[in-house]
Amino acid sequence: MLLHVDGVHKRYGRRVALAGVSLTVAPGETVALMGPSGCGKSTLLRCINRLTRWDAGEIYFDSAPVGAMGPDEVRRLRRQIGFVFQHFHLIERLTVLDNVLLGLVLGGVPKEEALERARAALARVHLAGEERLYPAQLSGGQRQRVAIARALALEPRLMLLDEPTAALDPILVGEVLDVMEELARTRSTGMLVVTHEVRFAMRVADRVVLMDAGTVVDEGPPEEVFRRCRSRIAQSYARLLVS
Amino acid sequence: MSLLREPFWREYVFVVALTIILGAGCAAGTARALDAALGEAAHSLLGEAGQYDLIVHVRQDYREVAGRELQRLLVDLDPEVRVVPGVIVAGNANFLVELPDNLLKQDALEDVAARLEDVPGFNGYTWLLEPSLSVSGLQPALRDLVAREAASLPGVRAAVRGGSSVTVLLEHIEYREQVAAALRELVERRQVVEVRLPGGGASAPDQATTEATDEAAGSAVEAVRAALAPLAIAELTAEEPGPGSSLTALRGLLASLATRVRVQPLPETSLQIGDRLVLQGSAPSPPGPGEPPGPEHLIVEVVGRRGGEALGWIVQGDAGQGTVQTAFRLVNGAVGPPAGQAVLESPRWALAQGLTGDGPVGQELEQLAQIARETADRLGDLTALVAPEAAQEAIEQRAERLARALRAGDGASAVRETLLGVALSVLTRKLQEAGGAGAMDGAGAGGNATVAGGAPTGGRLALRFDVEKLEQLRQSLMSLADAVEALKDGAAGELLAGLVDVQQLVGNLRDDEITGLLRLVDGVAGGEGAEPRLVFLVDDRVTAADIEEAIRRAAGRDAVVVAARAGVVNPSARSLLIELLADVRRSIAGIVAVLVAGAALVLDHATVLAALRRLEVPPATANALGAGLGAVLLGGVWSLSGAELPFLGPAGALAAGAALGLVTALLADRLSPVRVEEIVAGQSLGLTNGQIMREIVVPAGRPGLLSLVNRWRREFR
Ligand SMILES: Nc1ncnc2c1ncn2[C@@H]1O[C@H](COP(=O)(O)OP(=O)(O)O)[C@@H](O)[C@H]1O
Ligand SMILES: [Mg+2]
């Protein structure tokens, strides 16, 4: 198993964000993580690459316990896990190319190779011609694709995408979803995608995990989850699917 | 310290060190540049060292005329004197004076200083004599002593007195340390001790009474002298009259003019000091027992006793011609039983009648003429004092100023004081007239300085002064002076007329006015004449307590003892200025050090401190780091640049730096906002904190030394 989250608890003061979440992602597998706002999806993603620490339970990446990692190991972990944020988090002062190069060069990849890999990553998100531009000169969809390329360039074994289309104009959502779908089809990396796009989940995800109030309430292949509608959450997503 | 493994943090430490070195250079450089500019200004102010000997300050508006007059006065003294106009500073025009070598002697230099007084708009002078030292803060008598002692030191060319200091001109600069040490020995090893004997004697208008009380005070004074003889190096009072001496003379004069009242008490009757008596005076009828005294009755206050007689002064009314009258007690404001026979002797009456005895006739005529002129001059000043605009001042203030104006005439003779006394009395009369009838009572009540005011009860005091009458007095004084001069040509008749003129004014004084004046004089002189005051020079090992104890044992009474260091030895004016400039330089360096540390904190370190919070460094650690940084930065720049501020030592600088740093840490987010998302992005890419700092945080922060140094090691420019 590539990723194994095992009964993770997390509270912020008295507020419980995660109440014993467990899930798995296999190598090359695409999992859609869905659930109402505030149910703990982002918190879970941040725990997985140790941007946040948790209170109980354990997360295993490639069978290694993430909670026990020292600073160097955490950095190595992070280089194997690409993170795509809802709000892109690009470095404003750097060009598109430099944003993609940043993790490679500072991670010790030789200049030539880094450039090749960065350009390849940009090509995969259809931004080959825009490498000299700055983030401020790009549309939201383009920015998110740069962010995806930046994560992808590190050739991660797992991608964590936290509502990558939620901050976009509806007409720009498609281009990002297309890129993600192409990525999923290659099966080169495991993907854990937080999304509210039910059709995308139906079409692309190998499995759907439904969360509510800090726990997993339902899980399985998308058609199955949305057909049997075991949970209230599944019902509301299924209704979206019909409309 | 594992942090230092990362290149960024090593660079960071380097930047802090670089900031300190550059900052110190900047602070010291600014200070030095300013120092050079100030030195230039000082040079234009004082000339080359040793070039000029004296700087004369003159009010700016008198510049032209003062320059001419100064030139005339000094060239007159020696044609080789050179006067050069200098810069104007703070309303003062300055003239630089170069004196020929033969004038560089004590008496010649003192003569030069004395002549300066005649320069119009004169506002003081400063010796620039080089090489020199000065001793300042000297009591007048001690000043003369120090001047004598200093003059006899080896290597001293002249010891010039001026004000409360002595400027010591050296033969050669190499004597400086040696003479300074000797002078310090002279003044700093000694102290001036002032001994006051409170309640030494009551003030009295009557010469005889004064003598009687003075006798008691005198014996106490002698006892103090005897007691302090083994402790004191010298007594200073005896050598030179203090500044209040002209007031003493004035007081003596007034006392000599006052009507003398001697009361022979009835058998079985005893009169105590402070008792009040009512006399008929010039009233048509004697005081009626049981009734309040009338306005023309005399009220006498008993102020002393001699033999069986009581001595008093008149606090209400005027005795006019001397007589013998019955004295009644004044009981609760009403006339009481008879207390005795009062003998009234009016010296003024006698004076005005025949110019006999103690009047100015006995004085040398030359002197009289001169003094009459001077007094007429001073009266001009007094006229200004009572001009309509001065009428707005409170009476006490006016009396103060008046007394001060009078006191300014130092070392004057009794004759001068006579005439001043006349002027004062006329003024007081004016004050009283303006103050209304109530002033009469006030004149007797309780010897305070406001006696002339007898402040009118209620309502605003609308004082109008008869400037004309003062002018009259001035005129008659002038003509008196003319007359005295004319006497040389044999015109005796005019002199007599002039004297009569003045004596009439003297004769016009009222007794209660004189009493009021006496009390006024006592009041402004701080009870002088009433309170014996002795000044001794003692070794500085003797404490005020030792002296108090010695007096208590010898004289059996308590004395007020005030001890102060005899004086202070200073370098020359030029050296003082140079020291002052050094102070300025250190202060400027201090200010620049604070600015540098502040700028570094805000420009470089606020960014880092703000980012540290985002990198999960606990707030307490970030605050401590900020405080440490501030202390290191300010402390480092401070000590390297030789900075100094009057209120901040090196420890203070460390503390101030720490405080600045702490504030920076607390406000870091607002001083230099960091983009949190970019930091998180960096973290998610597996960058180290140092890499995040160098590539993401610092470039986005404020431009400072850190971002400059950071630039060359940065991968992404
Ligand atoms: N840094 C934080 N401090 C305090 N509470 C937080 C923080 N981050 C998230 N939470 C809380 O934890 C819960 C889960 O949040 P989140 O993981 O962002 O939910 P989701 O991504 O599913 O919308 C929410 O109630 C949220 O308010
Ligand atoms: Mg979220």
Side-chain angles (χ1 to χ4, degrees), chain B residues 497-581:
Chain B
L499 279 175
V500 167
D501 232 14
V502 175
Q503 291 297 355
Q504 252 171 13
L505 281 159
V506 173
N508 278 345
L509 277 176
R510 292 170 53 98
D511 281 313
D512 47 15
E513 289 172 358
I514 293 178
T515 304
L517 281 171
L518 277 166
R519 284 181 162 158
L520 171 67
V521 169
D522 285 348
V524 295
E528 200 212 352
E531 189 175 280
R533 180 173 152 273
L534 295 147
V535 182
F536 297 93
L537 185 63
V538 304
D539 192 274
D540 74 344
R541 277 172 301 228
V542 180
T543 67
D546 294 340
I547 292 167
E548 276 168 14
E549 180 54 33
I551 292 171
R552 205 173 299 122
R553 251 186 288 122
R557 58 194 294 180
D558 286 330
V560 179
V561 176
V562 183
R565 186 192 277 190
V568 184
V569 178
N570 299 313
S572 65
R574 178 180 297 277
S575 313
L576 268 179
L577 188 74
I578 289 166
E579 271 178 30
L580 196 76
L581 290 182

Side-chain angles (χ1 to χ4, degrees), chain A residues 46 49 51 75 78-79 81 83 85 89-94 98 101-103 105-106 111 150 154, chain B residues 616 675 677-678 680-689 691 694-696 699-700 714-717:
Chain A
R46 294 169 57 85
N49 81 338
L51 284 171
R75 280 196 293 278
R78 286 174 182 167
R79 281 201 288 273
I81 300 177
F83 205 114
F85 302 89
H89 292 196
L90 296 180
I91 312 299
E92 294 293 320
R93 77 169 184 96
L94 298 182
D98 283 347
L101 275 170
L102 188 68
V105 171
L106 298 181
K111 266 270 159 63
R150 179 173 69 180
L154 289 172
Chain B
E616 283 153 37
R675 299 205 184 104
E677 338 61 272
E678 295 193 359
V680 172
Q683 287 178 312
S684 75
L685 290 171
L687 306 189
T688 65
N689 286 350
Q691 287 171 330
R694 187 195 285 162
E695 305 292 341
I696 296 175
R714 214 181 281 155
E715 293 285 350
F716 295 86
R717 301 266 156 97

Side-chain angles (χ1 to χ4, degrees), chain A residues 12 15-17 36-43 163:
Chain A
Y12 289 105
R15 167 169 289 159
V16 176
S37 186
C39 72
K41 306 179 296 290
S42 295
T43 303
E163 302 194 34

Side-chain angles (χ1 to χ4, degrees), chain A residues 73-89:
Chain A
E73 289 168 290
V74 166
R75 280 196 293 278
R76 216 172 300 127
L77 169 82
R78 286 174 182 167
R79 281 201 288 273
Q80 297 179 68
I81 300 177
F83 205 114
V84 176
F85 302 89
Q86 179 176 349
H87 295 283
F88 331 130
H89 292 196

Side-chain angles (χ1 to χ4, degrees), chain B residues 12-30:
Chain B
Y12 188 62
V13 171
F14 169 73
V15 164
V16 171
L18 191 63
T19 306
I20 291 171
I21 292 164
L22 291 181
C26 184
T30 314

